Amino acid sequence: MILEILMVILFILIVLLFMIIIKPLNIHVLFNNNLDYNGEITINHYLINVEYNFKNKTIIINLIYKSHKIKIKTFNLEKSDEETSLENTSKEDITNKLKELYPLLKKAFPDIMELIKLLTKTCKFNTSKINVNLGLNNNNLTIKTCNIIWAISAPFYPLGLQVLLTPEINKFLIKTDIDISLRIILTNVIRILIKIFTNKNLRNIIKILRN
């Protein structure tokens, strides 16, 4: 009897997991850093709504019922040491990290483009846009970095993601304005994670970004 109950529970869990995976995850990202880090991320999946506010650093979990939001839980996040360190990072530190990162990006470019192909099958965009002004004091590094970003973003244009990247010459400037609305197919996310963690070049890039 106990074995039969356990089998039924296992079957229910498998069905629930399958239902979660096959339904797309709806995400909306609004962000700009013109004056301050401001914006929010909204995630909807089945009856659950999750909202993250960049400025207030709060996560709100809501239950959606008949077009109404019922607040379940609010999390107030304090600044981590990593975030504080990032805010105190100098222009020279950012430029030096990008100089270190560029050879790895160039070496891993074929792997990155394969990852981009997977992403184009994973992300279904509504009309979305990313506006970026990028200047790194080093004009040569600015152009090289912009070339990589242009190449990576190009496959997403037919999918509804518009990326306007403006190189800024002889100045240090990183200004972004993001408004992205998309659906993510979770089954493909698993393939992407496997691709990242089994590829040495991609793992090396992640290590540099984390340091």
Side-chain angles (χ1 to χ4, degrees):
M1 183 66 179
I2 295 177
L3 182 59
E4 291 177 353
I5 294 174
L6 290 175
M7 290 299 292
V8 170
I9 293 173
L10 180 61
F11 177 75
I12 293 172
L13 290 175
I14 292 173
V15 170
L16 288 173
L17 181 62
F18 181 73
M19 290 175 64
I20 290 171
I21 290 175
I22 63 171
K23 187 174 177 64
L25 197 69
N26 294 295
I27 300 176
H28 188 200
V29 180
L30 284 171
F31 177 79
N32 72 74
N33 68 335
N34 294 340
L35 298 175
D36 195 3
Y37 292 101
N38 194 17
E40 64 180 13
I41 299 174
T42 304
I43 301 173
N44 294 310
H45 194 60
Y46 283 105
L47 302 177
I48 299 297
N49 166 265
V50 180
E51 299 174 351
Y52 173 72
N53 187 286
F54 285 96
K55 189 172 184 178
N56 298 329
K57 296 193 177 298
T58 57
I59 296 176
I60 301 174
I61 300 176
N62 301 302
L63 178 66
I64 301 175
Y65 179 71
K66 293 184 177 180
S67 301
H68 295 286
K69 286 184 182 179
I70 303 171
K71 187 181 292 185
I72 299 175
K73 185 71 175 178
T74 299
F75 299 94
N76 292 310
L77 306 179
E78 297 180 359
K79 287 186 179 180
S80 64
D81 294 337
E82 184 178 347
E83 288 175 319
T84 304
S85 175
L86 183 61
E87 289 181 359
N88 295 329
T89 302
S90 67
K91 298 175 182 179
E92 290 76 15
D93 290 336
I94 294 174
T95 302
N96 290 334
K97 177 165 282 193
L98 285 170
K99 283 181 180 178
E100 184 181 2
L101 189 60
Y102 180 77
L104 294 176
L105 289 172
K106 191 173 181 180
K107 182 179 179 182
F109 191 74
D111 302 309
I112 293 173
M113 293 312 295
E114 285 185 21
L115 202 61
I116 294 300
K117 288 180 181 178
L118 281 175
L119 282 170
T120 59
K121 298 176 182 178
T122 302
C123 303
K124 307 296 180 182
F125 292 92
N126 298 322
T127 301
S128 301
K129 66 176 183 178
I130 299 177
N131 295 329
V132 181
N133 293 73
L134 180 64
L136 301 171
N137 273 341
N138 183 319
N139 292 338
N140 186 40
L141 183 61
T142 298
I143 297 302
K144 286 180 176 180
T145 304
C146 286
N147 284 334
I148 288 178
I149 295 174
W150 280 322
I152 289 174
S153 62
F156 293 103
Y157 276 88
L159 304 179
L161 176 62
Q162 302 173 6
V163 180
L164 177 60
L165 176 62
T166 305
E168 299 287 346
I169 304 302
N170 297 325
K171 66 172 72 172
F172 185 93
L173 178 65
I174 302 176
K175 186 171 73 172
T176 58
D177 185 6
I178 298 172
D179 184 355
I180 299 176
S181 179
L182 74 158
R183 290 178 295 120
I184 292 180
I185 300 172
L186 294 176
T187 50
N188 285 341
V189 172
I190 298 172
R191 295 173 61 193
I192 290 171
L193 292 175
I194 292 173
K195 173 73 175 175
I196 291 172
F197 289 110
T198 58
N199 186 288
K200 184 179 178 181
N201 291 331
L202 297 175
R203 291 201 309 270
N204 288 338
I205 291 172
I206 292 173
K207 286 179 183 178
I208 295 295
L209 291 173
R210 290 183 62 185
N211 292 335

